Amino acid sequence: MHDRLNKNSMAVLKMVRASHSHPTASEVYEAVRQERPQIGLASIYRILHNLVEQNYIKELRHGDDTCRYDAHTARHDHAICTQCGALLDIPIDVALPQDLLEAAAQATGIEFSSHELRLYGRCPTCQGQAVQHKTVE
Amino acid sequence: MHDRLNKNSMAVLKMVRASHSHPTASEVYEAVRQERPQIGLASIYRILHNLVEQNYIKELRHGDDTCRYDAHTARHDHAICTQCGALLDIPIDVALPQDLLEAAAQATGIEFSSHELRLYGRCPTCQGQAVQHKTVE
DNA sequence: AGAAAAATGAGAATGATTATCATTATTAGT
DNA sequence: ACTAATAATGATAATCATTCTCATTTTTCT
Ligand SMILES: [Mn+2]
Ligand SMILES: [Mn+2]
Ligand SMILES: [Zn+2]
Ligand SMILES: [Zn+2]
């Protein structure tokens, strides 16, 4: 399943692994360009798809229209800021009761294979800013 | 928060409510056109955004690049088919332990306001089809 | 080395969504 | 009802992330 990676692919994988912020394709492009200035954006997309295919990384999508990549491949959950859209890792293992998951899967008829919990709320950065609707105009 | 809705907005809201399949903007457009043939796609997008803003409906996004709308505004969970991408409602209330949710929120520092559980697996339709990788070529 | 196969990157094409703007309804004041 | 002001509409163009195409380059294999 895991093929050997060439230099471009290695550079992309390293960048995604080094980033702890679920980078977008164009963020990966800008970073990888530092090391491999000749690389093209089409290759970034192609390589990211290959890495997903080969289970080196995962693809994430939420509110905005760009998709993000995650080198953290173990099952884990995310928190999404309702104000700025930030996508944060939940750094602990949230052990949801297996029977609840199975009951939910059964209710839809899907062949359950994995799950993700998403929490919504204001992120720490946004909490530090003026509270919505409470500022004097 | 809820303004009065005009005819176009009502037609859009009715369509989203009648559909049980999380329709896309262009699916809404095609359906609403039957009743209001002069409506433009720009109005569909504008109205859908207004309805989201006013909490009549919710916006959902997952794997593909189109966003989907849901008239079911009470908190609920979804199942996503790993083969065809179908987005299905989980028709039961999955009561996750509140302390787990709070611990997860605390771990990220977000001001917890809501959550969604996503299950991944093959949907009933896809299960009915040939099993992946087991077909003879 | 030389042929065949695979990978690359520049640039065009695609497709969903958003912005613009002239026209058409709706509202409020008379 | 009449009119001025305001808001909503829809056709069309613009945007932007992603995908496609294809000539060129790099790698693999003999
Ligand atoms: Mn993550
Ligand atoms: Mn739903
Ligand atoms: Zn935030
Ligand atoms: Zn399916």
Side-chain angles (χ1 to χ4, degrees):
Chain A
M1 182 164 265
H2 281 202
D3 287 346
R4 181 86 106 292
L5 302 179
N6 64 19
K7 286 182 180 177
N8 278 348
S9 298
M10 269 311 245
V12 169
L13 179 56
K14 268 188 193 152
M15 187 278 168
V16 179
R17 282 186 172 157
S19 165
H20 287 241
S21 61
H22 306 103
T24 64
S26 85
E27 285 163 358
V28 172
Y29 179 50
E30 290 310 326
V32 169
R33 241 136 111 64
Q34 309 293 100
E35 283 189 31
R36 318 214 95 234
Q38 80 298 348
I39 201 170
L41 184 54
S43 298
I44 298 290
Y45 277 103
R46 200 170 26 222
I47 291 167
L48 286 170
H49 290 160
N50 291 344
L51 293 175
V52 168
E53 188 77 16
Q54 299 172 216
N55 294 306
Y56 281 106
I57 62 178
K58 288 179 144 182
E59 201 176 275
L60 288 175
R61 201 183 285 261
H62 70 114
D64 60 14
D65 57 356
T66 62
C67 98
R68 297 179 164 275
Y69 295 90
D70 194 340
H72 189 192
T73 54
R75 202 210 67 73
H76 65 284
D77 303 298
H78 293 100
I80 295 163
C81 179
T82 48
Q83 186 166 326
C84 72
L87 176 63
L88 308 171
D89 279 327
I90 293 177
I92 61 172
D93 177 47
V94 183
L96 301 178
Q98 189 67 23
D99 55 325
L100 279 185
L101 299 180
E102 275 162 17
Q106 187 130 70
T108 64
I110 70 157
E111 209 169 68
F112 173 75
S113 69
S114 181
H115 74 278
E116 182 194 349
L117 175 66
R118 294 188 169 198
L119 297 186
Y120 294 94
R122 297 201 322 158
C123 74
T125 306
C126 286
Q127 288 171 47
Q129 293 163 12
V131 179
Q132 297 165 300
H133 301 304
K134 284 197 179 170
T135 50
V136 182
E137 310 258 326
Chain B
M1 181 165 265
H2 282 202
D3 288 345
R4 180 87 105 292
L5 302 179
N6 65 18
K7 288 181 180 178
N8 278 349
S9 298
M10 269 311 244
V12 169
L13 179 55
K14 270 187 193 153
M15 187 280 169
V16 179
R17 282 186 171 156
S19 165
H20 287 242
S21 61
H22 306 102
T24 64
S26 83
E27 285 164 357
V28 172
Y29 179 49
E30 291 309 327
V32 170
R33 242 136 111 64
Q34 308 293 99
E35 283 189 31
R36 320 213 95 235
Q38 78 300 347
I39 201 169
L41 184 54
S43 296
I44 298 290
Y45 277 104
R46 202 171 22 227
I47 291 167
L48 286 169
H49 289 160
N50 291 343
L51 293 175
V52 168
E53 188 77 17
Q54 298 171 219
N55 294 307
Y56 281 106
I57 62 177
K58 289 179 144 181
E59 202 175 275
L60 289 175
R61 201 183 285 261
H62 70 114
D64 59 14
D65 57 355
T66 63
C67 98
R68 296 180 164 275
Y69 295 90
D70 194 340
H72 188 192
T73 54
R75 202 210 68 71
H76 65 284
D77 304 299
H78 293 99
I80 295 162
C81 179
T82 48
Q83 186 167 328
C84 72
L87 176 64
L88 307 171
D89 280 326
I90 293 178
I92 61 173
D93 177 48
V94 183
L96 301 178
Q98 189 68 22
D99 55 325
L100 279 186
L101 300 180
E102 275 162 18
Q106 186 129 71
T108 64
I110 71 157
E111 210 168 67
F112 174 74
S113 68
S114 182
H115 74 279
E116 182 195 349
L117 174 66
R118 295 188 168 197
L119 297 187
Y120 295 93
R122 297 199 325 157
C123 74
T125 306
C126 288
Q127 287 171 48
Q129 294 163 12
V131 179
Q132 297 165 300
H133 301 305
K134 284 196 180 170
T135 50
V136 183
E137 312 258 322

